[in-house]
Amino acid sequence: MLIAEFEHHAPKLLRKLQVVEFNQAIKEPLLRRGVKFTYGDFSSADVLEHCFHGEPKIIISTTPDTMLQGTTNMRILKVAMTVWPKAHIIVTADNPEQASELYDAGAHYVLRSAKLCAERLFELLNKYQTDAGMSDLKRRFDKYKRRENDERRSYVALKV
């Protein structure tokens, strides 16, 4: 989804992204979009040292631990901090306790799906809390549905 968001809002930024992943199936769709791809284990210092020459400004791990195999966001954070100590590191937590542990370990920002969803829904519904806003809310829902459908069609090639 992150690639789809960049593709939709800021396609020129795609060429600044580099994905490190075991899944070779996503390589060609990423390359077609201008995203660099490195095959390997993101939690391996050797892989990270060789996949990117220079010092990246931002490192992002968008996969929660419940979906990772053989590593954790804590390990990814520690390895990334060792390899690229000046980079801003964003990792993902499954719950508030894990988020706190990641912040304590040095994460600059911690993603949590439930929190992001709650923030988005609050923003959306708070704007339209009056009856007058309901027709605009329906238009916004329709816009989001169309966008989701468009993204789903363009994202099929990246589906893992």
Side-chain angles (χ1 to χ4, degrees), residues 13-62:
L13 289 178
L14 287 173
R15 67 178 179 264
K16 292 185 174 197
L17 299 178
Q18 176 151 357
V19 172
V20 179
E21 173 65 61
F22 272 123
N23 185 350
Q24 289 273 33
I26 67 170
K27 179 180 180 178
E28 287 307 315
L30 288 172
L31 293 176
R32 280 195 305 271
R33 287 169 170 82
V35 177
K36 293 176 270 321
F37 178 90
T38 300
Y39 174 79
D41 178 0
F42 191 77
S43 65
S44 164
D46 288 340
V47 170
L48 296 184
E49 287 170 357
H50 293 95
C51 78
F52 188 85
H53 302 291
E55 182 84 19
K57 293 179 181 157
I58 301 173
I59 310 297
I60 306 170
S61 171
T62 60

Side-chain angles (χ1 to χ4, degrees), residues 20-23 39-44 61-76 92 94 98 160:
V20 179
E21 173 65 61
F22 272 123
N23 185 350
Y39 174 79
D41 178 0
F42 191 77
S43 65
S44 164
S61 171
T62 60
T63 306
D65 286 359
T66 53
M67 303 292 290
L68 290 172
Q69 295 179 0
T71 194
T72 64
N73 275 274
M74 183 63 78
R75 173 154 170 66
I76 291 168
T92 300
D94 292 304
Q98 184 185 19
V160 180

Side-chain angles (χ1 to χ4, degrees), residues 8 27 29 36 38 46 61 79 119-120 126 143 157 159:
H8 180 76
K27 179 180 180 178
K36 293 176 270 321
T38 300
D46 288 340
S61 171
V79 170
E119 288 171 353
R120 177 71 175 263
N126 190 47
K143 175 185 163 191
K159 194 172 185 180

